[in-house]
Amino acid sequence: MNRSEEDELVLEFSPALVAVLLAAERSKGAPLTEEEVLEIRDGATCIRLPRSLAGAMAEQRGYPDLDPEQCWEQWRTVRTELAD
């Protein structure tokens, strides 16, 4: 990765979208619907960071966050892993 790619600004959810969805689902007491997941994503707080810093945040967190464009599909997979 060259210097300009590392410095490219990317959107990062804060707190991580996966954590926000997990809290919402636990609060609801039932699986979130696609509409609920997308509504939460659209209302979630994002910050703009250099790509290198966003990568460091994911490493420190210990897991990658969901891709906002594929969050429903990824959430359906991740939620089953988190339910354990």
Side-chain angles (χ1 to χ4, degrees):
M1 182 176 301
N2 67 39
R3 180 77 175 144
S4 63
E5 288 174 337
E6 288 178 4
D7 291 338
E8 177 184 37
L9 294 178
V10 296
L11 292 178
E12 184 75 19
F13 288 96
S14 181
L17 183 57
V18 69
V20 174
L21 292 173
L22 181 60
E25 188 162 290
R26 286 181 175 165
S27 176
K28 179 181 177 184
L32 297 172
T33 65
E34 181 176 6
E35 182 178 319
E36 290 169 325
V37 167
L38 298 180
E39 185 176 312
I40 291 167
R41 175 203 63 190
D42 292 347
T45 301
C46 284
I47 55 177
R48 197 176 288 252
L49 298 171
R51 183 178 301 279
S52 58
L53 185 54
M57 284 178 63
E59 271 187 48
Q60 184 177 16
R61 190 172 50 235
Y63 57 88
D65 202 3
L66 303 177
D67 177 339
E69 297 298 319
Q70 299 175 355
C71 69
W72 171 244
E73 295 81 6
Q74 291 177 352
W75 173 246
R76 288 178 25 198
T77 300
V78 169
R79 69 171 296 281
T80 60
E81 297 168 7
L82 297 173
D84 296 338

